[in-house]
Amino acid sequence: MWKILLMIIGILVIVCFLLYIFVKNGWHRTAAISFSMYSKIPMPHFEWREEDMKYTLCFFPWIGGVIGVCVWLVGWAGGCLGFHTGFLAAILSVLPLIVSGGIHMDGYLDTIDALSSWQTKERRLEILKDPHTGAFAIIGAGAYFLLNYGCFYQLIENECFNGSVGRGIQIGALFFLSRTLSGLSLLFFQTAKKEGTLYTFAHGAQKKGTTIVLVIYLVAVIAAVCLCQPFYGCGMTVAAAACFCYYRWMSYHYFGGITGDLAGYFLQLCELSVMIVLSVLGSV
């Protein structure tokens, strides 16, 4: 119990510190840009300025936090209302897409098509921009959602949505962690193109300040899941780290750097991999 209390106090201290910085620097515009770009959560409309985009990546992981809270609350509420496990798992499978607007899934499917083409780097980059959906993307989508559904079904069976604080933190951390790592990749991985949304956000970011914030996020979220339940926390960390390393190798080897689509591919792959690990560890 003391570990959970210590963890909650630490999270509150970090949140209060970030809120202080938020108010002091007028970062409400920056937060609105991040949420407008990477989610379907309604935000006020205004003209985007270059200075407003310096710390956009600092708020990117909080979209994952919102998704995690929504998933856990819906899972808990569905259990209380007596929803069938299959029906509830289906709802939870599509809920992250509803909140994010599917922007990362779009990148995942484009990347599946490009990787399956076995063409040159230049041709793969062209496939990423192709608005048409290939057969391999459809196959990849089917496989992804089948595994995603199965993971949520197993997590429900493992009582991950029964009101436990530790389980709730794991679910929230899952979506927060993937976006924190994605943000760090935008800062430190080379880009395949000198244009596009990812290039604009990556090179418009204030690198030093954003890096500090994202590293704090990373340490805090890993500490939270490991303090809460070390067995599951270590499994989540290893799975996310493995996906991150693969993402770096794959993007450099096959595309010459990262793009927005590849970032979306990593995020979806990371979340699915961590969910598979949680499902397996919860069953042994």
Side-chain angles (χ1 to χ4, degrees):
M1 179 61 71
W2 67 268
K3 290 182 179 179
I4 294 178
L5 290 175
L6 181 63
M7 178 181 54
I8 293 175
I9 291 173
I11 293 174
L12 289 175
V13 169
I14 293 174
V15 170
C16 290
F17 172 74
L18 291 176
L19 285 176
Y20 168 75
I21 299 295
F22 181 86
V23 174
K24 182 180 179 181
N25 293 277
W27 283 0
H28 58 285
R29 294 172 61 92
T30 303
I33 291 175
S34 185
F35 274 76
S36 297
M37 185 67 199
Y38 297 111
S39 78
K40 285 296 183 180
I41 301 173
M43 288 288 140
H45 295 279
F46 56 87
E47 183 180 354
W48 293 7
R49 301 176 305 190
E50 185 176 350
E51 58 266 27
D52 295 329
M53 302 177 67
K54 291 182 178 180
Y55 297 98
T56 303
L57 292 176
C58 295
F59 297 95
F60 180 43
W62 288 105
I63 301 172
V66 172
I67 293 173
V69 170
C70 290
V71 167
W72 188 82
L73 286 177
V74 171
W76 172 77
C80 292
L81 293 172
F83 287 0
H84 187 276
T85 303
F87 177 59
L88 183 56
I91 294 175
L92 296 179
S93 295
V94 299
L95 185 57
L97 289 180
I98 294 174
V99 179
S100 68
I103 183 173
H104 308 298
M105 179 57 68
D106 176 71
Y108 173 83
L109 299 180
D110 287 340
T111 303
I112 291 291
D113 264 343
L115 287 174
S116 301
S117 69
W118 296 106
Q119 298 292 323
T120 62
K121 292 181 181 179
E122 293 74 18
R123 178 56 184 151
R124 290 192 190 103
L125 290 173
E126 291 177 4
I127 293 174
L128 290 179
K129 296 188 295 183
D130 191 341
H132 300 92
T133 302
F136 289 103
I138 296 174
I139 295 171
Y144 186 96
F145 283 110
L146 185 60
L147 286 170
N148 197 43
Y149 172 82
C151 287
F152 272 118
Y153 194 104
Q154 187 62 53
L155 290 174
I156 295 169
E157 290 291 304
N158 293 345
E159 299 183 346
C160 288
F161 300 96
N162 62 353
S164 168
V165 175
R167 294 289 192 171
I169 289 174
Q170 287 177 4
I171 299 300
L174 158 66
F175 299 96
F176 195 95
L177 178 60
S178 64
R179 284 163 175 78
T180 300
L181 291 174
S182 182
L184 287 171
S185 74
L186 264 63
L187 295 174
F188 292 101
F189 291 0
Q190 72 180 27
T191 56
K193 300 181 295 183
K194 303 299 182 182
E195 58 182 2
T197 303
L198 181 139
Y199 182 83
T200 301
F201 274 83
H203 288 265
Q206 209 290 328
K207 189 170 183 178
K208 182 178 179 180
T210 303
T211 300
I212 292 173
V213 171
L214 291 179
V215 170
I216 291 174
Y217 288 167
L218 184 63
V219 173
V221 73
I222 291 176
V225 294
C226 289
L227 281 174
C228 183
Q229 291 178 315
F231 183 58
Y232 295 103
C234 289
M236 293 176 64
T237 303
V238 170
C243 287
F244 192 69
C245 292
Y246 167 73
Y247 168 43
R248 200 272 186 189
W249 172 83
M250 179 273 295
S251 60
Y252 278 52
H253 183 73
Y254 290 114
F255 297 91
I258 63 172
T259 68
D261 287 321
L262 296 179
Y265 172 84
F266 160 72
L267 193 146
Q268 298 291 163
L269 181 65
C270 181
E271 291 176 357
L272 181 61
S273 300
V274 173
M275 285 182 61
I276 291 173
V277 168
L278 287 177
S279 300
V280 171
L281 295 181
S283 303
V284 297

